[in-house]
Amino acid sequence: MSRVFLIAGEASGDVLGARLMAALRAQRDGLVFSGIGGARMAEAGLLSIFPMQELAVMGLAEILPRIFALKRRINQTIETIEATRPDIVVTIDSPGFCLRVLKGISGTGISCIHYVAPQVWAWRQERVKHYPGLWDELLCLLPFEPAFFAPHGLNPVFVGHPVLESGANKGDAARFRAQHNISADAVPVVLMPGSRVTETSRLLPVFRQSMVALSARITQLQPVLAAAAGIAEAVAAQTRDWPVPPIIVRDVATRYDAFAAARAALTKSGTSTLELAMAGVPMAVTYRVNPLSAMLARRMIKVEHVAMINLLAGRALVPELLQQDCTPAKLSETLYGLITGEAAAATQRAGFATALASLRAPAGTPSSAAAARVLARLGTGGKQPL
């Protein structure tokens, strides 16, 4: 029996962890899983040592009140690993928590893999100097990441991006229209304001006015707002007074059905751009933070584009309307052009196909490729030199 200790700290990591567990079981019998995970990993057979939701906090304002509780959980996790001595530890994303745990167990001789490379290539590149010795192997989701991490002796391996396994391209437009009684001549537009309250509180007022402006030109406009599970009720409350009432979508399957029905989308930057690209939805990307944060970010960001799909394409494939450009007038005008201009939409879709092709795993699915690396490391029988 081989014991695998997995750590996921947020919903996306929970999905990754569950897929990894399934892929590991498909490739080898006799694996026992323990660690920290959410509902998806629990369904796959993991008993979490404490609720994953305790780790799902983002931003300074959210972390500060819970810093001592988080520190206790870090120590508890380190102590559990040291006491149980699993054959391998796999940490999944959530660098704020996971990298501290890896540092705490770095002298134990237990083999470690970190799954999802920290995005320090985008900003705060100096942080990479703190990583040597934390893991034996770094599983990268993006094809350009190994070239950044390899010179630092961090043993990076590209395994492909799990968005390719998401099913984002398999939604049912007819089912969505029937479920929500949307007429054939209605024009659904997907809105994705983020999964954090700090994001939605800044973007939803702008989205509201954008939909008002757009509805004056497209009378059958139907906004569809994709709300993250943890904040769905808060999002619904914030949009009750919208002059153009949005359909609130709370679950992943319905969100993908909405993608299939959508004529265009307006989204924050992040993995959502890859999901929309998978579904072939023309999009504009937007974001807004407070002016001080924006000023600091401009000085630290080292990449030319913010949207992940643009980084993969190596060009401004989709519009990025950030900060001062995140206005109702600019957002509504851009969406209008995507809805009414078939050439602009077609150009985006052609670019999506090329960019997404670069995310394919070297062999099999991204999850099976990641599982193969974990099992290869298990086969070595312990800590290997970097």
Side-chain angles (χ1 to χ4, degrees), residues 92-131:
I92 305 170
D93 207 358
S94 300
F97 183 85
C98 288
L99 299 191
R100 285 173 172 81
V101 171
L102 289 174
K103 184 176 181 180
I105 63 172
S106 62
T108 62
I110 298 171
S111 191
C112 299
I113 284 180
H114 188 61
Y115 188 14
V116 185
Q119 292 187 354
V120 291
W121 43 263
W123 70 321
R124 296 188 175 181
Q125 293 186 356
E126 73 282 356
R127 288 188 175 187
V128 75
K129 68 185 179 183
H130 300 296
Y131 298 157

